[in-house]
Amino acid sequence: MESKHITLLAVESSCDETAASVVRDGREVLSNVIASQIDLHTIYGGVVPEIASRKHIENVIPVIEQALAEAGMTIKDMDGICVTYGPGLVGALLVGVGAAKAISYAAGKPLIGVHHIEGHISANYICHKELEPPFLCLVASGGHSHLVMVNDYGEYDIIGRTRDDAAGEAFDKVARSIGLGYPGGPKIDAVSRQGNKNAIPFPRASVEGAPYDFSFSGVKSAVLNYINGCRMKGESYSQADIAASFQEAVVDVLVSHTMLAAENFGVKEVAMAGGVACNSALRAKMQEACDSRKYRLYYPEPVFCTDNAAMIGAAGYYEFIKGRQDGWDLNAVPGLKLANNVKLANSANSANCKKVVDKEA
Ligand code: KG4
Ligand code: ZN
């Protein structure tokens, strides 16, 4: 007799993507629908929370219907409904949480709230069927830069985090300041190919006494100072050289901190997750570093690195099989934490979707 599969519907709306997916047994993606709002927010240079929430309301039901249709299933075939309930923009999260609660109540299906970062990490399970904890994961996105020890499914220790900007946030702000526009990461990645990564020695910051923490606001300011200096001297500057040198500085720090953590924690399995894990220079340099130490490196394919609902279905599956289920009081938690680690005491993650328009840069 064929063993029973667990099929889950997953919903994600924490920032500017309305997404729904049907995932079987945590690792097999039957459908993955993503309605991106990037075009809408590009004119403002970043995500405008109120516009994001309104767009999620318009998109959420059609996206869920499409995900079920593409999987060739109906809500009756689902074993449960997973939804991102934090961290993220509160108004955006509320749309997904509200929709998931209504559907699960109406259909009489279990509801499972999922942590967005846990989703990013779990995207690796989709792309690497053999990957199992324990492993070290670098989570680098528009809102987060964390080094996470994945001890077991759903069991994490955050061993490092950013003290200021997230890596993707720095990419987005620098891109804006050199005239590349939003979203900055993919544009800097592309332009860097024409630039010299050693042209400008931008700083590689580390935090005293916290070797796994990150700080990216200094390199962002250094880029602005460099541009202002050139302008004041009436000198021209190369957009490609700035992009390539900035990218190299960020990638250097991400790779060296990850390698230090892997070494000190005795881990030989290293993973990456989040939008910045799409970066070609990061992938190449991390691969080189892992190869030379005989570590195994995992990262998801690009569509599962940036925000999507399949990763929420993957993370939700491991909660579901443990029997964890949420009640109708499940609410959006914009500053939701991943693990109770002392290092998080000063957490600044109430603004986890850092793609939000910021006048600073
Ligand atoms: O994971 P994600 O979709 O959203 C958050 O949870 O924040 O990540 C989006 C971030 C943006 O900051 C974007 O600029 C960055 O990931 N990103 C990249 C690349 N592709 C996306 N950064 C560097 N290089 C890329 N190729
Ligand atoms: Zn994300």
Side-chain angles (χ1 to χ4, degrees):
M1 199 178 78
E2 201 189 320
S3 66
K4 164 117 177 55
H5 290 295
I6 304 288
T7 311
L8 300 171
L9 171 69
V11 180
E12 153 68 40
S13 69
S14 64
C15 194
D16 61 343
E17 268 94 25
T18 324
S21 173
V22 175
V23 180
R24 190 148 69 184
D25 300 330
R27 302 211 180 211
E28 193 188 344
V29 178
L30 304 184
S31 65
N32 187 34
V33 179
I34 305 169
S36 173
Q37 305 178 6
I38 281 185
D39 294 347
L40 199 63
H41 297 285
T42 297
I43 42 176
Y44 304 102
V47 176
V48 181
E50 183 58 25
I51 295 178
S53 311
R54 286 165 192 252
K55 209 63 199 166
H56 283 310
I57 292 172
E58 281 172 30
N59 286 340
V60 70
I61 298 301
V63 162
I64 290 171
E65 282 173 344
Q66 194 183 333
L68 287 168
E70 285 184 14
M73 293 181 168
T74 72
I75 197 70
K76 290 200 184 77
D77 301 312
M78 299 299 115
D79 292 292
I81 323 288
C82 311
V83 64
T84 307
Y85 72 111
L89 298 169
V90 67
L93 288 164
L94 275 170
V95 178
V97 170
K101 271 160 72 167
I103 293 168
S104 102
Y105 181 76
K109 304 284 180 182
L111 175 71
I112 305 116
V114 175
H115 193 292
H116 184 77
I117 300 183
E118 184 168 6
H120 273 302
I121 295 169
S122 303
N124 281 289
Y125 300 139
I126 294 169
C127 299
H128 305 285
K129 309 290 181 222
E130 73 286 14
L131 176 64
E132 288 188 30
F135 58 91
L136 175 71
C137 189
L138 169 70
V139 186
S141 70
H144 324 276
S145 294
H146 285 354
L147 264 173
V148 182
M149 265 307 303
V150 183
N151 301 315
D152 203 343
Y153 294 107
E155 285 179 31
Y156 309 95
D157 275 321
I158 297 190
I159 58 171
R161 52 169 297 116
T162 183
R163 295 296 180 105
D164 37 59
D165 291 358
E169 184 184 6
F171 269 95
D172 293 335
K173 287 177 176 171
V174 164
R176 215 182 320 158
S177 66
I178 60 174
L180 283 173
Y182 174 83
K187 293 189 173 167
I188 290 195
D189 196 349
V191 166
S192 293
R193 290 173 218 269
Q194 274 89 52
N196 173 5
K197 63 184 184 189
N198 301 315
I200 311 148
F202 289 129
R204 275 81 167 146
S206 46
V207 181
E208 213 184 315
Y212 315 120
D213 278 6
F214 301 103
S215 168
F216 295 112
S217 67
V219 64
K220 179 192 69 185
S221 304
V223 172
L224 294 177
N225 290 341
Y226 177 82
I227 294 170
N228 289 337
C230 292
R231 283 187 186 141
M232 274 158 65
K233 286 184 260 172
E235 290 171 3
S236 63
Y237 54 83
S238 156
Q239 190 190 49
D241 283 352
I242 296 176
S245 301
F246 159 78
Q247 178 173 274
E248 186 69 3
V250 173
V251 165
D252 260 359
V253 171
L254 291 173
V255 173
S256 62
H257 288 200
T258 306
M259 289 301 103
L260 183 69
E263 197 178 313
N264 289 348
F265 282 78
V267 182
K268 290 192 181 320
E269 310 257 289
V270 177
M272 300 196 288
V276 181
C278 294
N279 185 268
S280 55
L282 176 63
R283 287 178 173 217
K285 206 154 194 164
M286 195 71 90
Q287 190 69 62
E288 208 180 286
C290 285
D291 287 350
S292 71
R293 291 165 177 83
K294 302 212 165 14
Y295 296 164
R296 177 100 197 256
L297 177 65
Y298 303 85
Y299 47 78
E301 57 187 90
V303 70
F304 298 118
C305 283
T306 46
D307 287 350
N308 66 89
M311 67 185 198
I312 303 303
Y317 168 78
Y318 290 100
E319 298 294 309
F320 182 85
I321 58 172
K322 282 181 192 165
R324 197 183 71 66
Q325 191 176 321
D326 286 288
W328 307 124
D329 57 349
L330 181 73
N331 204 352
V333 184
L336 186 65
K337 290 176 183 168
L338 184 62
N340 290 324
N341 187 300
V342 252
K343 284 215 171 127
L344 279 176
N346 296 324
S347 165
N349 59 4
S350 56
N352 272 291
C353 184
K354 294 282 178 48
K355 288 183 283 181
V356 171
V357 174
D358 184 338
K359 295 199 177 63
E360 201 189 323

